[in-house]
Amino acid sequence: MTQRLDEKRDSSSPDTAALPYFSRLAEGDFHTRLAASSGVAVVLFSAPHCGACRAWKRLLPSALADQAGVFYEVDVSEATGVARYFDIFHLPTIYVYRDGHFHAELQCEARPDSIRLAAHRLLSVPAQDEP
């Protein structure tokens, strides 16, 4: 049985197509960096070897280019305290922040048009309570 080269990649691999768009958030800087952000920020909670996380990581920057100014990724296998704080159980989980404050969780199909529409709807209504 031969393993394909691309099967060894995870969401943090350097050859992931969307990598330049995402900044990593770690345990110690999660709240500080988000609080300092202005405009719309998207936070992708992911883990190594999560295929769906890789797909979302490729889709989000182009789907939300006109709505979000910054994209962050949190590896929940490393930032376990952040994952526990937000009760992250399902991956990927995507949170939208506006001007440093939680706005909503993005839940939709992993298709660019669905992502754009869902984000537009979320951003056009008042913020939800932080989980």
Side-chain angles (χ1 to χ4, degrees):
M1 183 170 161
T2 306
Q3 185 174 18
R4 293 179 9 200
L5 181 59
D6 63 346
E7 289 177 335
K8 294 184 181 207
R9 289 184 287 164
D10 61 37
S11 62
S12 63
S13 296
D15 55 349
T16 301
L19 186 62
Y21 294 104
F22 283 83
S23 296
R24 302 274 308 234
L25 287 178
E27 204 79 55
D29 65 357
F30 181 90
H31 295 287
T32 306
R33 287 180 63 194
L34 278 170
S37 65
S38 61
V40 176
V42 175
V43 178
L44 170 67
F45 292 88
S46 66
H49 311 296
C50 170
C53 299
R54 287 190 301 274
W56 277 92
K57 190 172 179 179
R58 284 189 299 273
L59 288 169
L60 286 168
S62 60
L64 297 179
D66 62 336
Q67 296 179 59
V70 63
F71 296 88
Y72 294 109
E73 181 178 19
V74 177
D75 180 346
V76 298
S77 68
E78 294 175 2
T80 56
V82 174
R84 280 193 306 270
Y85 177 83
F86 288 108
D87 290 328
I88 303 293
F89 291 106
H90 302 286
L91 296 177
T93 295
I94 302 155
Y95 287 170
V96 177
Y97 284 75
R98 178 180 269 161
D99 296 325
H101 301 283
F102 178 82
H103 191 80
E105 180 176 355
L106 179 68
Q107 295 181 335
C108 63
E109 292 180 68
R111 293 188 356 238
D113 57 335
S114 296
I115 295 168
R116 273 189 292 279
L117 182 60
H120 178 72
R121 286 181 179 158
L122 288 174
L123 292 168
S124 66
V125 299
Q128 300 172 2
D129 290 332
E130 186 175 66

